[in-house]
Amino acid sequence: MELVLPKNVNPELLPMIRQGLLSPEKLAILVDLYEIVDRFATTLFTEEEAQLRIKERHGVLPDIITWGDYFQTEVASRYFLESEISFRKIVDTIRFDLISSHLIFSGKPEYYKNRVRSEAMVSRGIDAALWKAEEEESIHLEILLDYFENLGLAERPLSIQDKIWYEAFSLQEVAV
């Protein structure tokens, strides 16, 4: 009997599902992640031209096309041993970072983004064992900038739902 994948579950996860590495709860969380990321992203992970080249060369389209596909398969493959609670925290952190990225970089001039890249480059030049909070923050800010640019976050406004969720999550993190 062939396993039918639920909607918004990438076929790359099929071997993990067959091996029992992803519980139904984790699959539901991964579907949430897929939907969250694709709601924010306005670009594809694998551009259409690259998809066509892959199809011409191998006869099939790649499985990782959207950013939702990418994040879903990354989280599943890296964190499948984590508990469902940890899995949810990882997904919430990704959502928080996407919203933060949007809030930080929307409308910012190019020189601001260049300064973020420069500071991160300096931080990467320091041995990670010697990093202080400033170096960690500059690296994280560059990751958020990469999200902003690569996922095309500026092209879609934040929803009221995401703003409310973000504020609640921020308050929750401060309380912890």
Side-chain angles (χ1 to χ4, degrees):
M1 176 189 275
E2 184 161 334
L3 180 64
V4 177
L5 287 174
K7 184 180 179 209
N8 296 336
V9 173
N10 193 282
E12 288 288 321
L13 301 183
L14 191 55
M16 296 178 78
I17 294 168
R18 285 190 176 131
Q19 294 171 28
L21 299 175
L22 296 172
S23 68
E25 294 84 6
K26 286 181 181 176
L27 273 177
I29 293 167
L30 289 169
V31 168
D32 285 348
L33 174 61
Y34 176 93
E35 292 169 355
I36 288 166
V37 173
D38 276 359
R39 189 174 71 241
F40 282 92
T42 63
T43 63
L44 294 173
F45 179 78
T46 306
E47 294 177 3
E48 289 178 15
E49 294 142 7
Q51 291 177 46
L52 292 174
R53 284 193 307 272
I54 291 168
K55 186 170 183 174
E56 286 173 8
R57 186 175 299 145
H58 302 285
V60 294
L61 288 171
D63 287 330
I64 311 294
I65 292 176
T66 71
W67 283 101
D69 293 328
Y70 170 78
F71 276 90
Q72 185 181 73
T73 56
E74 278 293 303
V75 168
S77 61
R78 286 184 185 204
Y79 303 109
F80 66 91
L81 292 176
E82 297 289 332
S83 69
E84 282 83 5
I85 292 169
S86 293
F87 230 60
R88 174 54 67 192
K89 286 181 182 177
I90 291 164
V91 169
D92 286 347
T93 300
I94 292 169
R95 183 177 183 186
F96 184 83
D97 279 355
L98 291 173
I99 296 169
S100 295
S101 173
H102 198 293
L103 292 171
I104 292 167
F105 295 106
S106 287
K108 291 293 191 301
E110 204 56 38
Y111 71 82
Y112 177 77
K113 296 172 189 175
N114 289 336
R115 190 178 89 217
V116 167
R117 288 184 192 95
S118 296
E119 289 174 4
M121 188 182 310
V122 169
S123 293
R124 279 192 305 279
I126 298 170
D127 184 334
L130 303 174
W131 282 358
K132 296 179 183 154
E134 296 82 21
E135 286 81 18
E136 289 180 16
E137 185 177 320
S138 72
I139 297 292
H140 187 242
L141 203 54
E142 184 184 44
I143 291 168
L144 296 181
L145 176 57
D146 287 344
Y147 286 171
F148 184 77
E149 293 179 336
N150 294 331
L151 278 72
L153 299 183
E155 302 305 313
R156 188 170 292 143
L158 286 176
S159 70
I160 297 296
Q161 171 193 3
D162 286 318
K163 290 177 183 178
I164 291 169
W165 180 91
Y166 183 82
E167 292 300 322
F169 187 83
S170 296
L171 291 174
Q172 186 179 36
E173 289 298 305
V174 170
V176 172

